[in-house]
Every structure is written in C-alpha cells, then in structure tokens.
Amino acid sequence: DADKLKMFAHFQTLSNEDLQLRFGSTSLTAVENYIKNIHPSDIIFVIEEGGEYVAVSHIAKCDKDSAELAISVSPKHRGKHYASKIFEEAISYLKTRGIKKVFVNCFSSNRAIQHLAKQHGFSVFTAYGWTEGELDLSGEIPSTQDLLTFVKKNEAAVIDISLRTVYEMCANMLTLMSETFNKNVKKG
C-alpha cells in the first residue's frame, strides 16, 4: 500500500546509526518486517513534504490504558522542530483516547529522544544501556482545543481514522470527565 511504501522510503533516508537507534538494526529487511507487522490498531502520524514522509510517529497500544511512542525524522529535515511537533500531536491524540501512560524506549545513546521526552514532561530512567521514558496522563482531560486541534490537523494524517474512532474519543473524554468529577466530589 502507498502509505507503507512512503514509510519505507522515509526509513531509507535514515543513516545506519539512526536505523540502529530506531530499530536496533541497520538491516532494511528488519525495517520491512517492522512495517509489515504494524498492527491495524496502531496509529501512524506523519509530516509530509513534497509527497514524501519527512517525520513518522508510531503509536502502539500496550494495553487499554497505555501506549508506546516511537518517532523518526529524515536527516535533511532536522532542525525544523518536526520531532517536537509530531511528538505533541501524538500526545494530544493519546489524551483524547483516554490513555493514562505513554512510554518511549530507546538505547541510552539516543540523546535526542531522551531530550525530547524530557521536554514533553516524561520521567526518564536509564539502566544497563537502555532508557525508558514515562508520561503520566491519568486524570488529564483533553481540552476542547485538544479535540478540535486533533480533528482539524489530523483528519488527513491519521491512517484509517473512522467515525467509530471519533465516537470512542468522545466516550473516553466523558469517562475521564466523570472520573475527575467523582474524585473532586470525594475530596470536597
């Protein structure tokens, strides 16, 4: 499919070091397998310029309350804050889905992802050559602006979004609002 071909072309622009940091391998076969194994429930955000993907974010749900986030930016498009923009969009999206925890995982040598995670409020822990970042979204209710921004900016960027997804976003938002209301009633 065209989106997967564009994604593969994007990953081909990465240096061997970038591929190692992103996939744990410099093998393009490993990258092809990664793309083939993207689960249908995973979400892909992209920034596209001139018909090519210059930044890609992959969100994989770990369970109903948590997700893992991975990103890459083509070398010639770095310095344009695309990593930060796509990271923000992914987090905003996850808020609208009722996700309570977001994770990023990387080699300890991947300073760029660690810096990005810290910039966006993640707690970052490093041990044995591996770094994990965790962002707690529990109790956060997406603002109307989050929802409107998501719909406006991402209706074309999110692959296979449907009315069911919008319905689920609204249901999750109502659940979060109810939980927050109930917590406040108990406190007050």
Side-chain angles (χ1 to χ4, degrees), residues 85-124:
K85 288 176 186 173
I86 206 164
F87 214 77
E88 288 169 10
E89 291 298 323
I91 292 168
S92 179
Y93 170 80
L94 291 168
K95 284 181 188 178
T96 67
R97 303 292 292 163
I99 296 297
K100 294 177 174 44
K101 295 245 186 239
V102 184
F103 299 97
V104 292
N105 293 289
C106 64
F107 290 107
S108 298
S109 57
N110 194 336
R111 301 281 184 228
I113 293 299
Q114 292 175 52
H115 176 74
L116 192 62
K118 288 176 185 175
Q119 269 188 324
H120 288 87
F122 281 69
S123 299
V124 177

Short mmCIF file of all heavy atoms in Angstrom, two decimals, residues 85-124:
data_model
loop_
_atom_site.label_atom_id
_atom_site.label_comp_id
_atom_site.label_asym_id
_atom_site.label_seq_id
_atom_site.Cartn_x
_atom_site.Cartn_y
_atom_site.Cartn_z
N LYS A 85 6.91 18.65 17.06
CA LYS A 85 5.54 18.81 16.57
C LYS A 85 4.81 17.46 16.51
O LYS A 85 3.67 17.35 16.96
CB LYS A 85 5.53 19.46 15.18
CG LYS A 85 5.87 20.91 15.19
CD LYS A 85 5.93 21.48 13.79
CE LYS A 85 6.43 22.92 13.83
NZ LYS A 85 6.66 23.47 12.50
N ILE A 86 5.47 16.45 15.98
CA ILE A 86 4.81 15.15 15.84
C ILE A 86 4.65 14.48 17.20
O ILE A 86 3.67 13.79 17.46
CB ILE A 86 5.54 14.26 14.80
CG1 ILE A 86 4.56 13.26 14.20
CG2 ILE A 86 6.79 13.63 15.35
CD1 ILE A 86 5.05 12.61 12.92
N PHE A 87 5.59 14.73 18.11
CA PHE A 87 5.50 14.23 19.48
C PHE A 87 4.28 14.84 20.17
O PHE A 87 3.49 14.14 20.80
CB PHE A 87 6.79 14.62 20.21
CG PHE A 87 7.27 13.64 21.23
CD1 PHE A 87 7.93 12.48 20.85
CD2 PHE A 87 7.12 13.90 22.58
CE1 PHE A 87 8.41 11.59 21.79
CE2 PHE A 87 7.59 13.01 23.53
CZ PHE A 87 8.24 11.86 23.13
N GLU A 88 4.13 16.16 20.05
CA GLU A 88 2.99 16.86 20.65
C GLU A 88 1.66 16.36 20.09
O GLU A 88 0.70 16.17 20.83
CB GLU A 88 3.11 18.37 20.41
CG GLU A 88 4.18 19.03 21.23
CD GLU A 88 4.47 20.46 20.79
OE1 GLU A 88 3.70 21.03 19.97
OE2 GLU A 88 5.48 21.01 21.26
N GLU A 89 1.61 16.16 18.77
CA GLU A 89 0.39 15.66 18.14
C GLU A 89 0.03 14.28 18.67
O GLU A 89 -1.13 13.99 18.95
CB GLU A 89 0.53 15.62 16.62
CG GLU A 89 0.60 16.98 15.96
CD GLU A 89 -0.65 17.81 16.17
OE1 GLU A 89 -1.77 17.27 16.18
OE2 GLU A 89 -0.50 19.04 16.34
N ALA A 90 1.03 13.42 18.80
CA ALA A 90 0.79 12.07 19.29
C ALA A 90 0.28 12.10 20.73
O ALA A 90 -0.68 11.40 21.08
CB ALA A 90 2.07 11.24 19.19
N ILE A 91 0.89 12.91 21.58
CA ILE A 91 0.46 13.01 22.98
C ILE A 91 -0.95 13.58 23.06
O ILE A 91 -1.79 13.09 23.82
CB ILE A 91 1.47 13.82 23.80
CG1 ILE A 91 2.78 13.04 23.93
CG2 ILE A 91 0.91 14.15 25.19
CD1 ILE A 91 3.95 13.85 24.47
N SER A 92 -1.23 14.60 22.28
CA SER A 92 -2.57 15.18 22.25
C SER A 92 -3.59 14.13 21.83
O SER A 92 -4.67 14.00 22.43
CB SER A 92 -2.60 16.37 21.29
OG SER A 92 -3.88 16.93 21.23
N TYR A 93 -3.25 13.35 20.81
CA TYR A 93 -4.13 12.28 20.35
C TYR A 93 -4.37 11.27 21.48
O TYR A 93 -5.50 10.87 21.74
CB TYR A 93 -3.52 11.58 19.14
CG TYR A 93 -4.24 10.31 18.76
CD1 TYR A 93 -5.42 10.37 18.03
CD2 TYR A 93 -3.77 9.06 19.16
CE1 TYR A 93 -6.11 9.20 17.69
CE2 TYR A 93 -4.44 7.90 18.83
CZ TYR A 93 -5.61 7.98 18.10
OH TYR A 93 -6.28 6.83 17.79
N LEU A 94 -3.31 10.87 22.16
CA LEU A 94 -3.44 9.87 23.24
C LEU A 94 -4.31 10.40 24.38
O LEU A 94 -5.07 9.64 24.97
CB LEU A 94 -2.06 9.44 23.73
CG LEU A 94 -1.27 8.62 22.72
CD1 LEU A 94 0.18 8.49 23.14
CD2 LEU A 94 -1.91 7.26 22.49
N LYS A 95 -4.23 11.68 24.66
CA LYS A 95 -5.11 12.28 25.68
C LYS A 95 -6.57 12.10 25.27
O LYS A 95 -7.41 11.78 26.10
CB LYS A 95 -4.82 13.77 25.85
CG LYS A 95 -3.58 14.08 26.62
CD LYS A 95 -3.45 15.61 26.72
CE LYS A 95 -2.15 16.03 27.32
NZ LYS A 95 -2.02 17.50 27.36
N THR A 96 -6.86 12.32 23.99
CA THR A 96 -8.24 12.21 23.53
C THR A 96 -8.73 10.77 23.55
O THR A 96 -9.93 10.53 23.48
CB THR A 96 -8.42 12.79 22.10
OG1 THR A 96 -7.72 11.98 21.17
CG2 THR A 96 -7.99 14.23 22.03
N ARG A 97 -7.82 9.82 23.63
CA ARG A 97 -8.18 8.39 23.63
C ARG A 97 -8.27 7.81 25.03
O ARG A 97 -8.49 6.62 25.19
CB ARG A 97 -7.16 7.59 22.82
CG ARG A 97 -6.99 8.06 21.40
CD ARG A 97 -8.17 7.81 20.55
NE ARG A 97 -8.28 6.37 20.39
CZ ARG A 97 -9.36 5.76 19.99
NH1 ARG A 97 -10.42 6.44 19.68
NH2 ARG A 97 -9.40 4.46 19.87
N GLY A 98 -8.04 8.62 26.05
CA GLY A 98 -8.13 8.14 27.42
C GLY A 98 -6.93 7.32 27.87
O GLY A 98 -7.00 6.60 28.86
N ILE A 99 -5.83 7.43 27.16
CA ILE A 99 -4.61 6.73 27.55
C ILE A 99 -4.04 7.39 28.81
O ILE A 99 -3.96 8.61 28.90
CB ILE A 99 -3.57 6.75 26.39
CG1 ILE A 99 -4.10 6.00 25.18
CG2 ILE A 99 -2.23 6.20 26.85
CD1 ILE A 99 -4.35 4.51 25.41
N LYS A 100 -3.65 6.56 29.77
CA LYS A 100 -3.17 7.08 31.05
C LYS A 100 -1.65 7.12 31.17
O LYS A 100 -1.09 7.90 31.92
CB LYS A 100 -3.76 6.25 32.19
CG LYS A 100 -5.28 6.42 32.30
CD LYS A 100 -5.87 5.54 33.38
CE LYS A 100 -7.33 5.75 33.64
NZ LYS A 100 -8.22 5.86 32.56
N LYS A 101 -0.95 6.28 30.41
CA LYS A 101 0.52 6.24 30.45
C LYS A 101 1.06 6.13 29.03
O LYS A 101 0.55 5.36 28.22
CB LYS A 101 1.02 5.04 31.24
CG LYS A 101 0.67 5.07 32.70
CD LYS A 101 1.90 5.17 33.55
CE LYS A 101 1.51 5.05 35.01
NZ LYS A 101 1.87 6.18 35.78
N VAL A 102 2.10 6.91 28.76
CA VAL A 102 2.78 6.86 27.48
C VAL A 102 4.24 6.54 27.75
O VAL A 102 4.85 7.11 28.66
CB VAL A 102 2.69 8.21 26.73
CG1 VAL A 102 3.33 8.10 25.35
CG2 VAL A 102 1.26 8.68 26.61
N PHE A 103 4.80 5.64 26.95
CA PHE A 103 6.19 5.22 27.11
C PHE A 103 6.98 5.52 25.85
O PHE A 103 6.45 5.44 24.74
CB PHE A 103 6.28 3.71 27.38
CG PHE A 103 5.57 3.29 28.64
CD1 PHE A 103 4.29 2.78 28.59
CD2 PHE A 103 6.20 3.41 29.86
CE1 PHE A 103 3.63 2.38 29.74
CE2 PHE A 103 5.55 3.02 31.03
CZ PHE A 103 4.27 2.51 30.97
N VAL A 104 8.24 5.85 26.03
CA VAL A 104 9.22 5.84 24.95
C VAL A 104 10.38 4.99 25.45
O VAL A 104 10.74 5.05 26.62
CB VAL A 104 9.71 7.25 24.54
CG1 VAL A 104 8.61 8.06 23.89
CG2 VAL A 104 10.31 8.01 25.70
N ASN A 105 10.93 4.18 24.57
CA ASN A 105 12.06 3.33 24.91
C ASN A 105 13.14 3.54 23.88
O ASN A 105 12.86 3.64 22.69
CB ASN A 105 11.65 1.85 24.91
CG ASN A 105 10.68 1.55 26.03
OD1 ASN A 105 11.06 1.54 27.18
ND2 ASN A 105 9.42 1.33 25.69
N CYS A 106 14.40 3.59 24.35
CA CYS A 106 15.50 3.79 23.41
C CYS A 106 16.81 3.34 24.05
O CYS A 106 16.89 3.15 25.26
CB CYS A 106 15.59 5.25 22.97
SG CYS A 106 16.00 6.41 24.29
N PHE A 107 17.81 3.19 23.20
CA PHE A 107 19.15 2.96 23.71
C PHE A 107 19.60 4.20 24.47
O PHE A 107 19.22 5.32 24.12
CB PHE A 107 20.13 2.68 22.56
CG PHE A 107 19.91 1.36 21.88
CD1 PHE A 107 19.36 1.30 20.61
CD2 PHE A 107 20.26 0.18 22.52
CE1 PHE A 107 19.16 0.08 19.99
CE2 PHE A 107 20.05 -1.04 21.90
CZ PHE A 107 19.50 -1.09 20.63
N SER A 108 20.42 4.00 25.48
CA SER A 108 20.90 5.13 26.28
C SER A 108 21.70 6.13 25.45
O SER A 108 21.80 7.30 25.82
CB SER A 108 21.75 4.64 27.44
OG SER A 108 20.97 3.84 28.29
N SER A 109 22.23 5.69 24.33
CA SER A 109 22.99 6.59 23.45
C SER A 109 22.10 7.50 22.62
O SER A 109 22.59 8.44 21.98
CB SER A 109 23.90 5.77 22.53
OG SER A 109 23.14 4.86 21.77
N ASN A 110 20.79 7.29 22.65
CA ASN A 110 19.87 8.11 21.86
C ASN A 110 19.49 9.36 22.66
O ASN A 110 18.41 9.47 23.23
CB ASN A 110 18.63 7.30 21.47
CG ASN A 110 17.82 7.97 20.39
OD1 ASN A 110 17.89 9.19 20.23
ND2 ASN A 110 17.04 7.20 19.66
N ARG A 111 20.40 10.30 22.68
CA ARG A 111 20.21 11.53 23.46
C ARG A 111 19.06 12.39 22.92
O ARG A 111 18.40 13.08 23.67
CB ARG A 111 21.50 12.35 23.48
CG ARG A 111 22.68 11.61 24.07
CD ARG A 111 22.60 11.62 25.58
NE ARG A 111 23.80 10.97 26.13
CZ ARG A 111 23.74 10.04 27.06
NH1 ARG A 111 22.60 9.66 27.55
NH2 ARG A 111 24.84 9.49 27.51
N ALA A 112 18.83 12.34 21.61
CA ALA A 112 17.78 13.17 21.01
C ALA A 112 16.40 12.79 21.55
O ALA A 112 15.61 13.67 21.93
CB ALA A 112 17.81 13.05 19.49
N ILE A 113 16.10 11.50 21.60
CA ILE A 113 14.79 11.07 22.11
C ILE A 113 14.67 11.36 23.60
O ILE A 113 13.62 11.79 24.09
CB ILE A 113 14.54 9.58 21.80
CG1 ILE A 113 14.41 9.36 20.29
CG2 ILE A 113 13.30 9.05 22.54
CD1 ILE A 113 13.25 10.10 19.64
N GLN A 114 15.76 11.14 24.34
CA GLN A 114 15.73 11.43 25.77
C GLN A 114 15.44 12.92 26.01
O GLN A 114 14.61 13.26 26.87
CB GLN A 114 17.06 11.05 26.42
CG GLN A 114 17.30 9.55 26.44
CD GLN A 114 18.67 9.22 26.98
OE1 GLN A 114 19.04 9.68 28.05
NE2 GLN A 114 19.42 8.43 26.23
N HIS A 115 16.10 13.78 25.26
CA HIS A 115 15.88 15.22 25.39
C HIS A 115 14.44 15.58 25.04
O HIS A 115 13.78 16.34 25.77
CB HIS A 115 16.86 15.97 24.47
CG HIS A 115 16.66 17.45 24.47
ND1 HIS A 115 17.05 18.26 25.52
CD2 HIS A 115 16.11 18.26 23.53
CE1 HIS A 115 16.73 19.51 25.24
NE2 HIS A 115 16.16 19.54 24.04
N LEU A 116 13.94 15.02 23.95
CA LEU A 116 12.57 15.29 23.52
C LEU A 116 11.57 14.83 24.58
O LEU A 116 10.61 15.55 24.91
CB LEU A 116 12.32 14.57 22.20
CG LEU A 116 11.07 14.92 21.42
CD1 LEU A 116 11.08 16.38 21.01
CD2 LEU A 116 10.97 14.04 20.19
N ALA A 117 11.78 13.64 25.12
CA ALA A 117 10.88 13.12 26.16
C ALA A 117 10.88 14.03 27.38
O ALA A 117 9.81 14.37 27.91
CB ALA A 117 11.29 11.70 26.53
N LYS A 118 12.04 14.45 27.82
CA LYS A 118 12.13 15.35 28.99
C LYS A 118 11.43 16.67 28.71
O LYS A 118 10.74 17.21 29.57
CB LYS A 118 13.59 15.59 29.37
CG LYS A 118 14.24 14.38 30.01
CD LYS A 118 15.73 14.64 30.28
CE LYS A 118 16.42 13.42 30.82
NZ LYS A 118 17.87 13.63 30.98
N GLN A 119 11.60 17.21 27.49
CA GLN A 119 10.94 18.46 27.10
C GLN A 119 9.43 18.35 27.21
O GLN A 119 8.76 19.35 27.45
CB GLN A 119 11.28 18.81 25.65
CG GLN A 119 12.47 19.65 25.45
CD GLN A 119 12.58 20.08 23.99
OE1 GLN A 119 12.26 19.33 23.07
NE2 GLN A 119 13.04 21.29 23.78
N HIS A 120 8.90 17.16 26.98
CA HIS A 120 7.45 16.97 26.98
C HIS A 120 6.93 16.36 28.28
O HIS A 120 5.83 15.82 28.31
CB HIS A 120 7.04 16.14 25.76
CG HIS A 120 7.17 16.92 24.49
ND1 HIS A 120 8.34 16.98 23.78
CD2 HIS A 120 6.29 17.73 23.84
CE1 HIS A 120 8.18 17.77 22.75
NE2 HIS A 120 6.95 18.24 22.76
N GLY A 121 7.72 16.45 29.34
CA GLY A 121 7.25 16.08 30.66
C GLY A 121 7.41 14.63 31.06
O GLY A 121 6.88 14.19 32.09
N PHE A 122 8.13 13.84 30.27
CA PHE A 122 8.35 12.44 30.61
C PHE A 122 9.36 12.33 31.75
O PHE A 122 10.32 13.10 31.80
CB PHE A 122 8.92 11.67 29.41
CG PHE A 122 7.92 11.28 28.37
CD1 PHE A 122 7.32 12.24 27.56
CD2 PHE A 122 7.59 9.95 28.16
CE1 PHE A 122 6.41 11.88 26.57
CE2 PHE A 122 6.68 9.59 27.18
CZ PHE A 122 6.09 10.56 26.39
N SER A 123 9.15 11.37 32.63
CA SER A 123 10.18 10.95 33.58
C SER A 123 11.05 9.97 32.83
O SER A 123 10.54 9.03 32.22
CB SER A 123 9.54 10.26 34.79
OG SER A 123 8.68 11.14 35.45
N VAL A 124 12.36 10.17 32.89
CA VAL A 124 13.28 9.34 32.10
C VAL A 124 14.20 8.58 33.05
O VAL A 124 14.80 9.16 33.95
CB VAL A 124 14.09 10.22 31.12
CG1 VAL A 124 15.10 9.40 30.36
CG2 VAL A 124 13.15 10.93 30.15
#
